Amino acid sequence: MSSATNVETIALPGAEATAVPRRNILWAYGIVGLFALISLGTFAYNEYYTYLSVYLWFGFIYGVCLQYGRFCFSSAFRDLFAVGVPRMAVGIMIATVLFALVGAFVTATGLSTFHPAPTSFHSVVAGFIFGVGMVFAGGCASGSLYKAGEGNGVAVIVILSISVTQAIFADVGGWTNHLVPQAWHESALSKGLPEVINVSDGWVDQYLAGYVWNQPVTTYAQIMGWSNESVAGAFLGNLMVGVVLPAAALLAVVYVFWSRRGFKNKRAKAGGQADFTFKDELAGYWTMILASKRTAIAGLVLGIAAGLHMFVIQGLRVKFGVKNAGTLLERMGFDFGISVNGTVFDPGYWYVTTQEAQWVGWVLQKLGTENMDNIYFGFVNGIPNPAINPADWMSLALIGGAAVMALLHNEFKFKKPTLELATWAMIGGALMGIGSRLGLGCNVGAFFVRVSQGDPSGWLFGFGMIGGAYIGVKFFNWWTERKMAKEFAACDF
Amino acid sequence: MTSSFWKVILVVVGFSGFLMGYAVPPLLEVGMIGGGGEGRDVGIKSDVDEEMEEYYRDLLKDN
């Protein structure tokens, strides 16, 4: 610490040393201190709050990792498709593999809290809508959270837009009921859901109960005839076949189209051999992988943290004798917003979008809108008070963790959005919100987590998301060129 | 690497470590980790003493 300049030089792992003002460090301590105080205070009040503190501290770790690794799918695909830089896309793929490695350990020990999702074409469509949205918004669901922690106003608007759109979309009925195919309607009615859910009113309700729930739920391990908890199932089925091989193939495609030429040119400039052998190709492939070190490290830590998160949640469920946090909330006297099944959203691992929908759902319910008569809120996730919603603790702590990391690396800065960026943020956020509800998750819940846990629906969502991101980038390029042409035409040189 | 960053890491590791420690005993108890726990001893427990057990076994022999 230099008393003259009142700055401290901080070097984060894998990053250059940065001079950080003392004020930033105090703010970082303040945020950590606040979370510590919440954890200790609530624990002293009631032991059950430990369950929420688990979400808080693991959320904080996720935030630190996301900010450190610049873990944003939107930036990754924009860089790849718009300017041909594959570094972050490669990093995300490596992170997925590393997360899957940790996930395989957790699954093999029988401590996983993960449940695969129904697999069908709906995931591709949902991913496509989400992909277009994240490019328009300039940040995916996870990216927007960590960018909000960096003080980015656009990211805050994106989060608001995702949250509001999901809450409204999950409950939309009226004329949209006419858009529901008769087969979905009949299938939904045949599920025997409680009357309070009113399944015949609501597009998403009938989509879920009449279509999505009829799709197969499986993992690569099960497809190959193993159980998820077996070593062969977890490591060969879910990890090797489900993640490593497809990821290696995708990385090969990225290498051939976006990285190979640059590597060849670099070799030629360095006076390398004229002929480019298979060994050189492998060296180029490996160089591309190593170039994404920071995102990969973040992915590894994210994977370990998510694995431990599952482990701790499972332990506390056994300790308190519950299967879901809804029971704990009821025991603590909070019965508002608990689903008809007595549950609230309690994934037991990293998730982003549902808790965003829940807090808006809770606000709307408080304002007089009936939000508990649909499957999403009323039957499965509930809309508990955000102050005692476990997953909301995770998201808020995630923003806090990202803020601490940004402050300690002097990257925190309040950025006020322009009207144009705010408009794109709202449009993109709305598309991401719709995509998330159709795909039962975002780039984290529907892609990153599912792929790494051997759920085939994750790749389907991912392929749709890549397609959507490609179209989104192409549209944006066209839009920008058109706008610039108009501006140039208006200039009188 | 400077102390501010490590102080933050220390607090985070401290809290998450405590929570992990909090979660381990229940998992050990039910045998979800370590494979031990009460699970091995689960069965019908009887307060009948050995003499009475012998008596009942002898009854079966008579038949």
Side-chain angles (χ1 to χ4, degrees), chain A residues 23-387:
Chain A
R23 191 185 58 222
N24 281 20
I25 294 166
L26 290 176
W27 269 106
Y29 286 164
I31 293 168
V32 177
L34 176 70
F35 289 145
L37 211 62
I38 291 171
S39 254
L40 293 171
T42 52
F43 178 68
Y45 179 68
N46 191 323
E47 189 189 15
Y48 290 148
Y49 277 105
T50 322
Y51 199 89
L52 278 77
S53 282
V54 174
Y55 276 100
L56 186 148
W57 288 106
F58 281 98
F60 187 92
I61 296 169
Y62 298 146
V64 166
C65 292
L66 290 180
Q67 205 282 332
Y68 171 75
R70 305 240 163 272
F71 207 81
C72 180
F73 283 55
S74 171
S75 308
F77 291 120
R78 193 189 52 216
D79 289 356
L80 186 68
F81 295 137
V83 287
V85 176
R87 193 186 58 80
M88 202 179 292
V90 172
I92 285 174
M93 209 75 282
I94 303 296
T96 309
V97 173
L98 294 173
F99 183 26
L101 182 67
V102 179
F105 274 108
V106 177
T107 307
T109 53
L111 292 168
S112 176
T113 57
F114 176 77
H115 298 288
T119 299
S120 86
F121 189 68
H122 75 277
S123 296
V124 182
V125 176
F128 184 86
I129 296 169
F130 188 92
V132 173
M134 74 180 184
V135 171
F136 283 7
C140 60
S142 57
S144 299
L145 279 178
Y146 92 71
K147 286 174 186 173
E150 291 177 337
N152 188 324
V154 175
V156 175
I157 295 174
V158 174
I159 295 170
L160 282 173
S161 179
I162 295 178
S163 308
V164 172
T165 308
Q166 283 187 98
I168 293 171
F169 185 59
D171 198 47
V172 71
W175 64 271
T176 62
N177 290 325
H178 299 297
L179 304 174
V180 175
Q182 188 62 21
W184 292 8
H185 177 71
E186 286 167 10
S187 178
L189 284 176
S190 73
K191 296 291 188 303
L193 288 159
E195 262 182 48
V196 67
I197 296 303
N198 194 11
V199 73
S200 60
D201 181 26
W203 190 91
V204 174
D205 281 358
Q206 293 172 88
Y207 163 75
L208 288 174
Y211 173 72
V212 175
W213 291 359
N214 296 339
Q215 307 311 312
V217 175
T218 188
T219 60
Y220 289 99
Q222 288 166 340
I223 291 170
M224 298 176 80
W226 293 309
S227 79
N228 287 317
E229 289 77 20
S230 66
V231 173
F235 286 92
L236 280 180
N238 289 344
L239 175 63
M240 191 53 72
V241 177
V243 188
V244 176
L245 295 178
L250 270 177
L251 286 173
V253 171
V254 171
Y255 170 70
V256 169
F257 286 98
W258 286 282
S259 189
R260 188 169 181 265
R261 188 187 291 174
F263 183 72
K264 271 182 93 171
N265 290 342
K266 212 179 262 181
R267 273 275 167 104
K269 274 183 189 170
Q273 295 166 325
D275 56 329
F276 204 65
T277 62
F278 183 67
K279 200 178 163 187
D280 293 320
E281 300 283 13
L282 286 179
Y285 187 80
W286 188 242
T287 306
M288 176 187 81
I289 287 172
L290 291 183
S292 316
K293 204 170 161 188
R294 202 163 150 162
T295 313
I297 291 171
L300 178 65
V301 182
L302 271 173
I304 293 169
L308 290 172
H309 188 172
M310 287 184 186
F311 167 79
V312 178
I313 285 290
Q314 197 70 278
L316 290 190
R317 282 179 186 170
V318 172
K319 181 178 175 63
F320 296 137
V322 298
K323 287 184 176 174
N324 182 277
T327 315
L328 291 180
L329 296 186
E330 279 183 318
R331 284 184 199 166
M332 289 193 284
F334 301 111
D335 54 1
F336 180 84
I338 310 282
S339 82
V340 69
N341 287 321
T343 55
V344 294
F345 184 57
D346 178 18
Y349 49 84
W350 183 26
Y351 211 91
V352 177
T353 43
T354 290
Q355 57 266 42
E356 291 176 348
Q358 279 180 304
W359 76 262
V360 176
W362 177 82
V363 170
L364 293 175
Q365 185 82 6
K366 287 287 179 186
L367 291 174
T369 308
E370 181 48 60
N371 242 335
M372 289 294 276
D373 61 350
N374 60 64
I375 289 174
Y376 184 56
F377 291 134
F379 191 66
V380 185
N381 299 307
I383 42 172
N385 185 327

Side-chain angles (χ1 to χ4, degrees), chain A residues 408-451:
Chain A
L408 289 180
H409 207 225
N410 209 13
E411 288 173 343
F412 185 92
K413 192 180 179 187
F414 282 115
K415 287 177 197 157
K416 200 177 151 192
T418 61
L419 181 64
E420 188 185 359
L421 285 178
T423 308
W424 282 115
M426 280 191 276
I427 296 169
L431 288 172
M432 281 196 281
I434 293 168
S436 296
R437 290 296 34 93
L438 294 178
L440 317 184
C442 60
N443 58 301
V444 172
F447 174 74
F448 189 61
V449 174
R450 281 187 199 148
V451 165

